[in-house]
Amino acid sequence: MRWALFLLVASTLWWAAPAVAATDDAAPGRVAFIGVPGLHWDDVTPEAAPNLWRLAGQSDLGSVSVKTLGTVACPYDGWLTVSAGLRSAFGQRCGLPPEPERRGEGAVIPGFVDILAKRDGGYTGTLGSAVQAAGECTTAVGRGAALALGDRQGHVDVYAPDPASLADWSRCRVLAVDVDELIRPYLGVDGKLSREPEAITPEERLKAVRAADAEVGAALAKLPAGTQVVLAGNGDHGSVPHLRVAMWKHDGARGAILGTSSTRREDIVILTDITTTVLTAAGIPVPPTVIGIAWAPGHVAGLDAGVAELREADLKATTVRSATGVFFTVFATITVFFYAIAYFVLSRRKRPGAIGPVALGLAAVPVSTYLVNLVPWVQGTYPIIPLVCAVVAIDLAIVGLAVGGPWRRDPLGPPAVVATFTGLVLVADLLTGTNLQFNSLMGYTAVVGGRYYGLANIPFALLATGVLMTTAMAADRLVRRGRRRAAVWVVTGLGVAAMLLAGWPGVGSDFGGVIAFVPGIAVTALLVAGRKVSILKLGAFCVLGGVAVSIIAVLDHLRPPASQTHLGRFVAQVIDGTFWPMIMRKLGAMLNTMLSPNLMPIVIAGLAFLVFAILRPEKISAGVVPRAFARTPMLRAGLIGALVSGVIGMLVNDSGTAVLSMAVATAVPLVLYAGIRSEPAVTGTGDGAPGERVVAGKI
């Protein structure tokens, strides 16, 4: 009843207000979009870029995540995305857009038919066509600007190759300027990006920044008074993605930090938001296929403090991204080594020693990577060092809590602490804006751009595992007391509550997570109830999960566009037929990560140890795993339910093996600890009398 009341209140609050408030300060009128691919907040200083610094002082400020379809957003793809209002990529050329062909005072993009034919380029020209449909003309300065404002035929009304060549800056209400000086030093002889960031000396970079600043200054000087300026670093260079500069100069600009409902972050916008922001600023209707939301100023920070805040955000994101691969490799190596040592020690009937506490430590690592964001680890020249040290310290603290409390005498006590702690931390994070998952080693970052809010795939696996293992261990006590029906309700009630949080728009917003969570809850509940689970039932549970998340997505779609999450926008894409590119990208991402060398060893080692410990217990683990199931039968139900959610989550989410690997990495060590601490169970039958063995349902 308490959970139902809580969810009712939470959903009412969610329905009543969007995540990021819109602004009415910017009246529709003339707008200029200035794209400076590669522009970083470190470049914007009073000494190196006085024009940009002056513009920043007159604008609201933010960071733009330039993610398109690849790891690095090519400038070409950045301009395509602004043109289409959807993440787009040409797929063959990582460099500058093509040079337009002059047609009178306008121009046409060469090869535009080829761009439209691409799977991810079919909506190119949406921005320019929307402007022309409103009876307005388009002016483009530079090749990227022409690509952004070209209509569905690739035509722009007025074109100039550079600011000095444009005579009339007031003719069209919508204007775009391409400032590509920061990209040219990284181009090879073939015109494609080939040089890495470290290949450019600081002097060369400073020279490029000054050239870009001069061109921005030339454009600003010629803009008619009252023109709104939307400036963004709409592309990357090299192999390292960054958050790029976003500025919006309008009548109400006051040094606020820019956010958007697309990211539900107060300081991060995305490329597709630029399309909507430009059209909204010009008072032009936004086409329904455009998925972005107009930028919205948030808290006022001022110039110096705002720039410092945005620089730190990029440093935090890039530090996490650069460390993630190494972190997972080390974690997988330690995990495999641990299982090998556990096999060696247990199979030889040696005293387990530290095997139990180390198992708890491994299971607590994931939640530690989220809790670390409660401390200010972004310090010094090498922030990775305090990050890793803090994760280790938090992990040790969780293990100390688990083995040091009064519950330590119960074999299920310490595992229950770790599982419950994992579930509670993730639930609390969902209810407070997912700030712990954001920029975490097992979460997501804006520079990667796969997700900006809600429950990511790895946290979903940890939430599902934590909840199912916790409820199963609680159910074990209830079953032993003869309260099997109450045990089933505990698993079902808490599981469904967590599932709703995982999928609810603006909270978890996890489409695939709901599909995978429902079967895990159902399987665990059936096994606790002493029922069998068939393949047919399992398939029905998967369908039920799909129905549940579809209902949630449709409800989200019924809200105003500015308040919708990606769930509601996906429904809109299904309606207008633009959803296939996104589906194919997610399918490709899932297949690419299915055999991840960083994650698959965790799955293989954990499941191999578990399976062989059950099939050949005397040779593999001295019977500790069967002993755990005999001593606490419902633990087996929770483990099976968690693995079911992990396997289905692996198939329906784009992170592939990552989902199953985290379910295994958390659940199996907890079972191992319970087995080490359990004494052989007294045989017998019954429905839960103290001292009797209670057998869970069979699958």
Side-chain angles (χ1 to χ4, degrees), residues 518-550:
V518 169
I521 297 167
V523 167
T524 303
L526 283 176
L527 293 177
V528 168
R531 305 288 183 83
K532 292 183 178 181
V533 180
S534 65
I535 297 299
L536 184 61
K537 288 181 180 178
L538 188 59
F541 296 147
C542 293
V543 172
L544 180 61
V547 171
V549 76
S550 297

Side-chain angles (χ1 to χ4, degrees), residues 3 360 363-364 367 371 398 401-402 407 412-428 462-475 490 494 666 670:
W3 277 100
L360 292 179
V367 72
L371 289 172
I398 295 173
L401 176 67
W407 44 77
L412 285 186
V417 169
V418 174
T420 303
F421 207 71
T422 299
L424 287 178
V425 166
L426 286 168
V427 167
L462 297 170
L463 174 65
T465 302
V467 169
L468 294 176
M469 293 293 286
T470 299
T471 56
M473 287 185 272
V490 166
L494 294 180
T666 303
L670 297 182

Side-chain angles (χ1 to χ4, degrees), residues 363-636:
V365 166
V367 72
S368 302
T369 65
Y370 305 131
L371 289 172
V372 74
N373 277 336
L374 293 175
V375 301
W377 57 264
V378 187
Q379 303 291 332
T381 306
Y382 302 101
I384 185 63
I385 296 176
L387 171 62
V388 172
C389 291
V391 169
V392 172
I394 293 171
D395 182 77
L396 293 175
I398 295 173
V399 174
L401 176 67
V403 301
W407 44 77
R408 67 183 182 277
R409 298 179 180 86
D410 188 328
L412 285 186
V417 169
V418 174
T420 303
F421 207 71
T422 299
L424 287 178
V425 166
L426 286 168
V427 167
D429 191 40
L430 288 175
L431 295 175
T432 55
T434 58
N435 294 310
L436 298 182
Q437 294 176 59
F438 191 63
N439 287 333
S440 67
L441 292 168
M442 288 192 176
Y444 45 88
T445 71
V447 294
V448 173
R451 176 182 281 271
Y452 303 93
Y453 63 92
L455 191 67
N457 294 332
I458 288 179
F460 154 72
L462 297 170
L463 174 65
T465 302
V467 169
L468 294 176
M469 293 293 286
T470 299
T471 56
M473 287 185 272
D476 192 83
R477 285 185 171 274
L478 291 171
V479 170
R480 288 181 177 281
R481 295 173 181 175
R483 303 179 62 188
R484 189 180 291 272
R485 180 174 295 180
V488 173
W489 277 109
V490 166
V491 172
T492 305
L494 294 180
V496 169
M499 180 271 294
L500 288 175
L501 288 176
W504 205 253
V507 183
S509 304
D510 187 8
F511 193 95
V514 174
I515 299 175
F517 211 157
V518 169
I521 297 167
V523 167
T524 303
L526 283 176
L527 293 177
V528 168
R531 305 288 183 83
K532 292 183 178 181
V533 180
S534 65
I535 297 299
L536 184 61
K537 288 181 180 178
L538 188 59
F541 296 147
C542 293
V543 172
L544 180 61
V547 171
V549 76
S550 297
I551 293 173
I552 292 173
V554 170
L555 289 174
D556 188 32
H557 177 66
L558 296 177
R559 298 197 299 164
S563 300
Q564 292 176 12
T565 68
H566 65 278
L567 298 180
R569 290 193 287 272
F570 174 71
V571 174
Q573 288 179 283
V574 171
I575 293 173
D576 60 35
T578 63
F579 67 99
W580 277 114
M582 187 270 288
I583 293 293
M584 296 305 296
R585 288 197 299 271
K586 288 187 174 293
L587 177 61
M590 184 270 288
L591 294 175
N592 288 335
T593 57
M594 188 62 73
L595 298 177
S596 168
N598 288 333
L599 298 170
M600 186 55 73
I602 299 176
V603 176
I604 294 174
L607 290 182
F609 182 88
L610 181 66
V611 170
F612 283 103
I614 294 173
L615 297 180
R616 314 190 84 177
E618 297 305 316
K619 291 185 177 181
I620 302 299
S621 65
V624 296
V625 173
R627 186 187 307 159
F629 294 153
R631 171 67 175 77
T632 54
M634 300 306 114
L635 186 63
R636 175 176 172 270

Side-chain angles (χ1 to χ4, degrees), residues 97-103 106-111 140-148 154-156 159-161 178:
E99 182 65 42
E101 297 175 354
R102 297 300 297 264
R103 300 287 175 84
V108 174
I109 307 298
V141 179
R143 56 176 70 188
L147 182 58
H155 176 263
V156 64
Y159 177 72
D178 178 6

Side-chain angles (χ1 to χ4, degrees), residues 4 33 59 163 211 249 274 279 301 331 336 339 346 374 494 516 640 643:
F33 169 52
S59 305
K249 178 185 176 183
I274 295 174
L279 290 173
F331 183 62
V336 173
Y339 285 121
L346 297 175
L374 293 175
L494 294 180
I640 293 174
L643 294 180

